[in-house]
Amino acid sequence: MRMASRTAFLALAWSVVCVSAPAFAFDGTVTGEQEAAAALPVVSAPLAGGEALKKAATPSVSLTALQYAAEGGHPIAQWRLGRMYAKGDGVTQDDLRAFQYFSRIANAHAEDSPSAPQAAVVANAFVALGRYYLQGIPNSAIKRDAERAREMFSYAASYFGNADAQYDLARLYLKGIGAPHDVKYGARWLGLAAQKGQHQAQAMLGRMLFNGDLLPRQAARGLMWLTLARDAAAPDETWITESYNKAIAKASEDDRAMALQMLEHWVQGRRD
């Protein structure tokens, strides 16, 4: 991103006001701006980013030490505190503080290299901010702003290659929320996230392909993605298991056999 556009973008992130937004589970439908907003938890666990975020989330440092490090500008400490306050994990839930910590990360580290050690934390801070903007903040100056949310997701998705952001961005384009309705562009982002192992993207893409919903029908490929998503789904993500069960019940023997071949090829490719 060019310097001028980055500067303008960062101005969007620095709207630090009070936040009060609950987390909801995505039920697999995208039916409007309010539904899309409610579908995305501000902080998911675990967030994308591999070992860096797993270590960052380890609760082995005292709150005082984290606050001290955060005030000193340490992005991982800021991210951990943002996550704690967003979830009410070990502290009283305070979305104002969570938003502030995520904003500090975004403003100070937006131009960090995507290969930097803290890049995963920075990208996930942008995702958290995007989800706050998508939901809006009751009783605060931050109203629901889907366009601003899209900008946050777009930056994390394109500059940092963050799979959660790619998934969130895909959903906005597929529904036309905060962005033009563009199935081709939405499917592209969904595919990128799915290839990185984002299981919600895998489930959505799989269902679309199996049913021929907005995309040309590819039953076997859709079943492959749904199988991967089912294996990675959390217990409360019933929409994923239900989507898989419906697909496997309708699939022909040829579809199942081809999906198994595709699945084996995909898994082998991930190992290589």
Side-chain angles (χ1 to χ4, degrees):
M1 186 179 289
R2 295 180 183 277
M3 181 65 70
S5 60
R6 284 184 186 172
T7 301
F9 180 82
L10 291 180
L12 297 176
W14 192 245
S15 300
V16 180
V17 288
C18 106
V19 177
S20 177
F24 299 87
F26 176 45
D27 64 2
T29 60
V30 187
T31 57
E33 182 170 342
Q34 184 173 2
E35 288 83 354
L40 297 169
V42 170
V43 178
S44 56
L47 291 169
E51 292 302 317
L53 287 185
K54 290 179 182 178
K55 293 178 180 178
T58 303
S60 59
V61 182
S62 70
L63 179 62
T64 301
L66 280 175
Q67 291 171 333
Y68 182 82
E71 290 305 313
H74 197 292
I76 293 180
Q78 291 170 342
W79 179 80
R80 281 188 57 182
L81 285 169
R83 185 174 182 270
M84 289 168 64
Y85 280 110
K87 297 181 68 177
D89 182 12
V91 295
T92 301
Q93 184 179 18
D94 188 334
D95 289 322
L96 165 61
R97 290 194 178 186
F99 189 85
Q100 289 174 333
Y101 282 123
F102 293 135
S103 295
R104 291 180 190 179
I105 297 169
N107 281 275
H109 299 278
E111 296 183 35
D112 288 4
S113 168
S115 61
Q118 71 276 9
V121 165
V122 179
N124 276 288
F126 274 99
V127 173
L129 289 171
R131 292 177 179 182
Y132 273 127
Y133 282 124
L134 189 60
Q135 294 177 137
I137 303 171
N139 304 315
S140 78
I142 290 186
K143 306 305 177 185
R144 183 178 297 143
D145 190 338
E147 290 186 6
R148 190 172 285 194
R150 175 182 56 80
E151 290 170 344
M152 297 289 174
F153 295 148
S154 181
Y155 190 69
S158 57
Y159 184 68
F160 289 103
N162 180 275
D164 285 338
Q166 291 169 345
Y167 166 66
D168 293 350
L169 187 61
R171 297 177 74 240
L172 296 187
Y173 278 105
L174 289 171
K175 186 58 184 178
I177 297 173
H181 178 254
D182 192 325
V183 173
K184 183 177 180 180
Y185 205 51
R188 172 181 176 272
W189 285 115
L190 205 59
L192 288 172
Q195 287 288 346
K196 292 178 180 177
Q198 215 284 356
H199 69 278
Q200 294 166 319
Q202 291 172 339
M204 179 176 282
L205 181 60
R207 189 172 58 184
M208 290 170 65
L209 288 171
F210 186 86
N211 295 327
D213 180 17
L214 301 178
L215 296 174
R217 190 168 190 263
Q218 299 182 53
R221 189 170 299 279
L223 186 58
M224 178 202 75
W225 286 124
L226 283 168
T227 303
L228 288 167
R230 179 207 59 180
D231 292 345
D236 62 346
E237 292 179 307
T238 56
W239 72 274
I240 295 179
T241 54
E242 289 172 0
S243 295
Y244 169 82
N245 290 337
K246 289 178 181 179
I248 197 68
K250 293 179 181 179
S252 68
E253 289 300 322
D254 287 344
D255 290 336
R256 295 184 186 189
M258 189 175 296
L260 180 58
Q261 290 180 357
M262 291 179 175
L263 183 61
E264 291 173 347
H265 180 73
W266 192 86
V267 172
Q268 185 60 46
R270 298 275 286 186
R271 291 173 180 168
D272 293 342

